Amino acid sequence: MKKGFTIFIGFLHDFAAGCWAASVPAVYWLDHVAAQRPELKSVLDGLERQFFWAGIACVAVVLLAGMGRTFTYAYIGNVYGEDAEKLRKKMLIVKHVVLMLIFGTGIYWQYSMVFDR
């Protein structure tokens, strides 16, 4: 059961990250079309906000599932050997710093498009 839960949490984490990544170009595209078609702006602005908030919900799922992954057996202990484990942990830290910058930049960009008043 624990292995199945670990796989599910990992899938949920990755799926939510992909959904957030898809929300970024969706907001951009809607903002771009709304700028070109003023008669559709009120409808598209509402849709933009929905994609933005859905993206924020995805980020919350990514964070929560990521915290869940931290405590599963696949990420605790000495799975790959002591030396490899030290390197893996350093690489995970670097990866997460880079991804936090990407998520932060993407959310800021979406916010600036959605709430551009």
Side-chain angles (χ1 to χ4, degrees):
M1 181 68 174
K2 192 170 182 179
K3 287 181 182 181
F5 182 70
T6 300
I7 292 167
F8 175 74
I9 291 296
F11 171 79
L12 186 62
H13 181 75
D14 296 343
F15 184 74
C19 287
W20 172 79
S23 78
V24 175
V27 168
Y28 168 77
W29 179 75
L30 289 167
D31 192 64
H32 183 72
V33 172
Q36 292 178 334
R37 306 278 309 267
E39 70 276 9
L40 299 176
K41 186 163 177 42
S42 64
V43 174
L44 295 178
D45 281 352
L47 197 52
E48 260 185 277
R49 282 186 189 83
Q50 288 179 1
F51 271 104
F52 173 76
W53 290 114
I56 294 297
C58 288
V59 170
V61 170
V62 167
L63 292 172
L64 290 171
M67 286 187 273
R69 287 175 90 174
T70 301
F71 301 108
T72 59
Y73 78 94
Y75 296 95
I76 295 176
N78 196 356
V79 178
Y80 300 108
E82 196 170 322
D83 290 338
E85 197 63 27
K86 286 178 186 177
L87 177 61
R88 184 184 75 83
K89 286 180 181 179
K90 286 179 186 176
M91 292 174 75
L92 276 171
I93 291 169
V94 171
K95 177 188 92 165
H96 284 94
V97 168
V98 170
L99 288 175
M100 291 298 269
L101 290 170
I102 290 170
F103 272 80
T105 301
I107 291 168
Y108 176 78
W109 188 39
Q110 283 181 311
Y111 182 87
S112 69
M113 287 184 281
V114 172
F115 300 105
D116 60 353
R117 278 132 200 69

